[in-house]
Amino acid sequence: MAVTIKSKKEISLMREAGKILCDVHNQLAEIIRPGISTLEIDQFGEKAIRAYGCIPNFLNYNGYPASICVSVNDEVVHGIPKRNRILQEGDIVSLDAGLIYEGYHSDAARTYGVGNISKEAAHLIKVTKESFFEGIKFAKPGNHLFDISEAIQKHVESNGYSIVRDLVGHGIGTHLHEDPQIPNFKERRRGIKLRPGMTLAIEPMVNAGMFDVAWLDDDWTVVTEDGSLSAHYENTIAITEDGYEILTLSE
Ligand code: MF3
Ligand code: CO
């Protein structure tokens, strides 16, 4: 599939999809506390998405059984919400959510501390978020896609962490996953040239230990192989004439 360029009209629909998802994330942030189950988080998120008249795009995607991916501690991404998985003080939890508005997808992830967390855990969350912003400094026409990837990797590794290799970001639009794939690490090529109208989900997944990951028997949950903590941060962005616009953040 070729990389699609969205029209002004399409970008404005994606802007609305992004704005709603940002609101949903802000609501989700409010309910994170020790004692809540990961299933309750999913149910709350699905309700919030539907309250806007939107569709949760993760639900039933390749058989994924929920609307929100809830990944705790050493779980990297795609954690399946469960009634008996209760958040504890000191945990870190990544919430990945997406929705469809008027046929256009948005996709974003945040990682939170549950109650008081260790300095080390807080630093991992901070560096993961920063690496997204370091990456998108290169998101402008004329630059190449993997310039973003390289900047993300540099920031992560200079802090002593590692960037996951087995999962990548992606184009997004009328489908949740479109071309191009967006690794968060340097490639030998610079990748495609960025052009106005490209819409991209940039999503660094950062491990406190080694970058190796494994899949649990549920065939979804991705965990760090060494059991170290992992954090995730993602936004949907659009490439503009002179840079980028983040669609899933409010000012
Ligand atoms: N942000 C994730 C991704 O881009 C969410 C999709 S996973 C699934 O892969 F649950 F929907 F399958
Ligand atoms: Co994504």
Side-chain angles (χ1 to χ4, degrees):
M1 193 172 78
V3 176
T4 58
I5 299 297
K6 276 75 175 182
S7 67
K8 289 259 150 59
K9 175 83 208 296
E10 290 180 290
I11 298 284
S12 72
L13 291 170
M14 291 194 64
R15 186 177 292 121
E16 190 58 28
K19 211 174 122 202
I20 295 169
L21 184 56
C22 178
D23 282 355
V24 169
H25 263 299
N26 291 341
Q27 290 181 46
L28 282 165
E30 296 290 317
I31 68 163
I32 299 304
R33 55 170 172 78
I36 195 168
S37 73
T38 57
L39 184 68
E40 284 174 279
I41 295 168
D42 174 57
Q43 289 171 339
F44 180 94
E46 177 174 358
K47 249 198 191 159
I49 290 168
R50 294 199 192 280
Y52 285 97
C54 295
I55 299 164
N57 50 2
F58 296 178
L59 185 61
N60 300 322
Y61 182 89
N62 289 143
Y64 185 74
S67 299
I68 316 288
C69 300
V70 186
S71 308
V72 184
N73 294 337
D74 64 324
E75 295 171 358
V76 179
V77 287
H78 303 169
I80 297 178
K82 284 187 193 66
R83 183 183 317 278
N84 60 3
R85 186 74 196 265
I86 310 293
L87 296 186
Q88 314 284 337
E89 177 108 23
D91 285 344
I92 67 171
V93 62
S94 303
L95 306 185
D96 192 352
L99 57 82
I100 310 171
Y101 170 81
E102 302 273 336
Y104 285 85
H105 291 248
S106 55
D107 184 5
R110 313 275 183 254
T111 300
Y112 300 109
V114 181
N116 284 314
I117 61 171
S118 69
K119 258 204 205 113
E120 291 75 18
H123 189 250
L124 174 68
I125 293 172
K126 176 170 163 276
V127 167
T128 303
K129 181 173 177 177
E130 284 170 357
S131 73
F132 167 87
F133 287 97
E134 287 301 314
I136 62 170
K137 284 181 183 169
F138 293 86
K140 61 171 165 228
N143 279 349
H144 292 252
L145 183 65
F146 299 159
D147 300 346
I148 299 174
S149 315
E150 185 176 350
I152 291 172
Q153 179 180 24
K154 267 194 186 150
H155 188 69
V156 167
E157 292 181 351
S158 70
N159 279 280
Y161 301 135
S162 50
I163 193 84
V164 171
R165 311 291 172 118
D166 289 350
L167 298 136
V168 297
H170 49 95
I172 180 168
T174 53
H175 301 270
L176 172 59
H177 291 141
E178 298 185 356
D179 279 344
Q181 293 199 38
I182 311 173
N184 296 300
F185 49 91
K186 188 174 162 38
E187 294 276 7
R188 282 155 65 197
R189 299 154 293 128
R190 283 180 75 196
I192 57 165
K193 250 192 178 166
L194 296 172
R195 290 178 51 197
M198 288 180 176
T199 44
L200 309 170
I202 313 276
E203 49 179 320
M205 289 148 271
V206 178
N207 296 351
M210 308 296 279
F211 61 69
D212 312 81
V213 298
W215 271 258
L216 295 187
D217 283 341
D218 62 21
D219 273 342
W220 276 106
T221 312
V222 180
V223 297
T224 60
E225 214 168 82
D226 61 10
S228 66
L229 292 179
S230 187
H232 186 200
Y233 186 81
E234 174 181 29
N235 283 303
T236 299
I237 72 167
I239 303 296
T240 61
E241 295 297 331
D242 54 4
Y244 60 84
E245 179 181 345
I246 304 177
L247 303 178
T248 48
L249 270 186
S250 53
E251 287 110 70

